[in-house]
Amino acid sequence: MRKARVPITNFQYGEISPSLSSRTDSAIYNSSAQSVKNFFLMSEGGVKKRGGFKFIHDFTGVTEDTSKTQQVRIIPFIFSDDEQYIIALSNQKVEIFFVNPTTGAVTLATTLTADTNSDALVWTAEYLHEITYAQGGDILFLSHATFETQQLIRTGLNSFQVEPFVFQTQAGAARIYQPYYHFQATGVTLNPSATTGTGITVTTSLPYFDLTGGASELTGDFPNSKHVGVRLRYHESEILITSVQSNLQATGNVIDELYVELDANAIRTVDGSTTIEIQHINHGMSASDSVTVRNATAVGGINAAQINGARTIQAVINEDRYTLTAGSAANVSEDGGGNIEIITHAPTEQWFEQSYSKLRGYPAAVGFHENRLWFGGTPSQPDTIWASKSGLYYNFDIGEALDDESIELILSIGEVATIRHFVSNRDIHIFTAGSEFFIPSFQNEPITPTNARVKRQTSFGSTFTRPQPFYGSTLFTQLGGSAVRSFVFSDSEAAYKSDPISLLSAHLINNPIQSSVTIGDIGSSDAAVFFVNADGSLVVYNLNKVENIAGWTNFETSGKFHSIASVSDKLFSVLNVDLGSGSNSFVLCELDKTANLDCSKTYTGISNGVFSVSSQFENGAVLDVINGTDYLGSFTVSGGNLNVSAVDTSLTSCEVGFGFNVELKTNPLDLNTNIGPETGRPRTLSSIILDMNDTLSVSVNSKKLIIRNVNSDFSQARQPVTGKKEFRLLGYSRDPQVTITQTAPLKVQVNGMVAEVTF
């Protein structure tokens, strides 16, 4: 029999796919493991048990419904370094939690179920996981294709309100600065009955108006038509639809006055004649129709007063030109007149409908970039992008395409690309259901209406999971939920690429529904990205770019991970767990590196080993109890109390919660000999030398670490082990592995190991 010692010095690639079990030739094989459960990867190469999730709040009003993807969703709200919040969305409710900047304590600040109009909040649990959000100062914008964008507004340290997003309105309410679109088929005209007034009739040349619901027996109108309350734009004027009579006819109120602004210098005079010719594209008028001319300037020797005012069309030359009679004759033939307006209600093809409404849907994506608010992806215009005026987040007026005016872009790639997310990074990144795009920023120049160009880069598609900016790239979940990719600019290719970062650990990715990034001291890595899978597991991408450490680990708990969010260096999660009633509850918790248990809480004032836990747990809950460095065991709640007197009657304080298992299982240890590899041949692990730090409980292949001996002073607290300990093992295997677990939910850190293999 021969022996060999195999060093395992790091686990930088984390848990890798079982499909790599034969890649013993790869450097990845020797720096990874078959299972890394409830561990963080350390920058030094080892692994450290994660902290527990401390109990904060029980969402008692939410009853579990397994048909819903998410019933409670938490998102961060960071106003300043010392004013930070966790926002918890649930069915038609929002709860805001304040994070104390001094103590770190998290308290419920306020609960809202209605907006400032006293209407019930619009979001429901059906699509909480699909809502997108963007924060600008003290306002959080919440968007989804099924409801009007909402604003959660911070009005004080612990006061908030919800109100619908309202576009800026022109003075006198003559115009709303919102997007409009040509929804009608080509050639369909709109014919208003008057240029001013309320209750005018608007008629379309082909069926257009929505007839949702039946007609009223009393009036014959369609009171549930989704066109009611919608604005139509007639050239530059607006008509508010107040009722619908048929698919061809509706009633509306003219906002201000209907008019057409013509191209500059649209008047042509003829020397010696009072007849002037007007160039009016697709005018839709007939001879003898009445119009009013305004804003004309002198032309051909005819002064403005002889042109402006009420006029009758003398003759129609063609669909783009007609003649009028001026008040005096011209003394020269010329083109001019300035920027004239024709007040008319003639039928026209130049009419539009507001882009956002109950009928057309609302933006699915919202974001901020270069001091503009960005919207995109309505059901009726799924591949359209809108950006506000620069610095004016409520004004989407395109105007004359000046640099600071609103931007409207259509992806136009030959296929529908439903927009799902905006991410402000090196450029603005646009993620759709089928492809990844960006709008390039030019050196020293912002994006403007005249230079904005959308460029498709890759074609993997994105799920509803919010992409995360991370080290200059943007991490997104590929359509189908089977991979996580990094959308990053490649200088060598002068383009963005979407590298798969989950390729080696694809088995851990199971349709993520939410993600979050932390940069801080919650674990042992410099940065981590957390993904909540649809099955309730939590997978963690650990990254240290300086040391080139990048790998995946898997977090599990006694229940399920339901939602996750980070605020600065703090990580919060909603756990879906049974607190003893037999049904699952939703509990807000915070990851704490000093905690040992999930849903944990420290209880004090204990008398004779009996204390009440009824404020948190229910009868029947089986809980683990830890006193300092000692694990007292598992106990069942009865009568609202936990009784540990059989173990310790002198207990004054303890940590109570649900323990969670850890597992570090190496890849099968292989050897190369002078006759080839020992792969598949029987061999044994005769001993393992484990290098540990600050460890209180660990087992190697089910063999426990002995911390206390018979000569130890049991009146003193157990001291954690730091250093190297040998574990002697027995038994043969064709795939010998080292499996590290623990029997008590206490601290464990593994720096590395040396395995002695006999073959």
Side-chain angles (χ1 to χ4, degrees), residues 467-600:
Q468 298 291 343
F470 192 62
Y471 278 116
S473 68
T474 300
L475 305 187
F476 70 98
T477 305
Q478 179 180 314
L479 189 67
S482 61
V484 177
R485 294 183 175 272
S486 174
F487 190 61
V488 62
F489 190 81
S490 170
D491 290 321
S492 62
E493 299 178 22
Y496 281 90
K497 56 182 182 177
S498 295
D499 294 333
I501 64 170
S502 61
L503 187 63
L504 300 179
S505 306
H507 66 295
L508 294 178
I509 309 302
N510 181 14
N511 191 24
I513 58 174
Q514 198 175 357
S515 62
S516 186
V517 173
T518 61
I519 308 290
D521 193 27
I522 61 167
S524 298
S525 56
D526 281 356
V529 188
F530 297 81
F531 294 86
V532 179
N533 281 326
D535 62 4
S537 61
L538 182 67
V539 292
V540 187
Y541 178 62
N542 302 263
L543 178 65
N544 183 322
K545 297 198 77 169
V546 175
E547 299 295 332
N548 197 29
I549 295 174
W552 292 84
T553 62
N554 184 24
F555 284 6
E556 294 181 359
T557 185
S558 57
K560 296 179 179 179
F561 291 97
H562 188 72
S563 181
I564 200 153
S566 60
V567 174
S568 297
D569 60 350
K570 298 177 180 293
L571 182 71
F572 298 89
S573 179
V574 174
L575 302 186
N576 183 216
V577 63
D578 182 1
L579 297 177
S581 66
S583 58
N584 287 337
S585 300
F586 295 92
V587 181
L588 176 63
C589 297
E590 179 186 351
L591 183 62
D592 185 343
K593 64 180 180 180
T594 66
N596 296 287
L597 308 170
D598 286 342
C599 284
S600 70

Side-chain angles (χ1 to χ4, degrees), residues 450-713:
T450 55
N451 68 19
R453 302 289 185 272
V454 182
K455 295 188 175 183
R456 177 160 66 170
Q457 299 297 282
T458 56
S459 299
F460 294 100
S462 174
T463 67
F464 289 106
T465 303
R466 178 182 174 89
Q468 298 291 343
F470 192 62
Y471 278 116
S473 68
T474 300
L475 305 187
F476 70 98
T477 305
Q478 179 180 314
L479 189 67
S482 61
V484 177
R485 294 183 175 272
S486 174
F487 190 61
V488 62
F489 190 81
S490 170
D491 290 321
S492 62
E493 299 178 22
Y496 281 90
K497 56 182 182 177
S498 295
D499 294 333
I501 64 170
S502 61
L503 187 63
L504 300 179
S505 306
H507 66 295
L508 294 178
I509 309 302
N510 181 14
N511 191 24
I513 58 174
Q514 198 175 357
S515 62
S516 186
V517 173
T518 61
I519 308 290
D521 193 27
I522 61 167
S524 298
S525 56
D526 281 356
V529 188
F530 297 81
F531 294 86
V532 179
N533 281 326
D535 62 4
S537 61
L538 182 67
V539 292
V540 187
Y541 178 62
N542 302 263
L543 178 65
N544 183 322
K545 297 198 77 169
V546 175
E547 299 295 332
N548 197 29
I549 295 174
W552 292 84
T553 62
N554 184 24
F555 284 6
E556 294 181 359
T557 185
S558 57
K560 296 179 179 179
F561 291 97
H562 188 72
S563 181
I564 200 153
S566 60
V567 174
S568 297
D569 60 350
K570 298 177 180 293
L571 182 71
F572 298 89
S573 179
V574 174
L575 302 186
N576 183 216
V577 63
D578 182 1
L579 297 177
S581 66
S583 58
N584 287 337
S585 300
F586 295 92
V587 181
L588 176 63
C589 297
E590 179 186 351
L591 183 62
D592 185 343
K593 64 180 180 180
T594 66
N596 296 287
L597 308 170
D598 286 342
C599 284
S600 70
K601 187 174 182 179
T602 299
Y603 289 86
T604 58
I606 300 170
S607 176
N608 298 320
V610 180
F611 54 100
S612 173
V613 295
S614 59
S615 62
Q616 179 178 350
F617 300 102
E618 300 183 51
N619 292 336
V622 179
L623 305 173
D624 291 299
V625 180
I626 294 174
N627 178 22
T629 60
D630 290 328
Y631 172 56
L632 303 187
S634 295
F635 302 86
T636 302
V637 179
S638 178
N641 294 326
L642 211 59
N643 187 342
V644 301
S645 60
V647 178
D648 190 348
T649 58
S650 63
L651 192 68
T652 58
S653 68
C654 62
E655 180 187 358
V656 175
F658 299 110
F660 51 91
N661 298 320
V662 299
E663 181 181 73
L664 177 63
K665 181 183 286 188
T666 67
N667 295 314
L669 302 180
D670 211 349
L671 296 168
N672 278 312
T673 67
N674 56 356
I675 61 172
E678 290 292 308
T679 305
R681 295 176 61 84
R683 50 204 188 276
T684 185
L685 291 175
S686 54
S687 75
I688 301 294
I689 297 175
L690 199 64
D691 184 8
M692 297 172 289
N693 186 70
D694 200 26
T695 295
L696 285 165
S697 175
V698 70
S699 297
V700 177
N701 288 16
S702 300
K703 190 174 182 65
K704 297 180 183 178
L705 169 68
I706 304 300
I707 292 182
R708 278 179 167 167
N709 298 308
V710 293
N711 59 350
S712 298
D713 183 355

Side-chain angles (χ1 to χ4, degrees), residues 17-35:
S17 169
S19 300
L20 292 167
S21 60
S22 292
R23 290 299 310 274
T24 59
D25 61 319
S26 170
I28 295 173
Y29 187 92
N30 297 314
S31 299
S32 60
Q34 191 176 93
S35 175

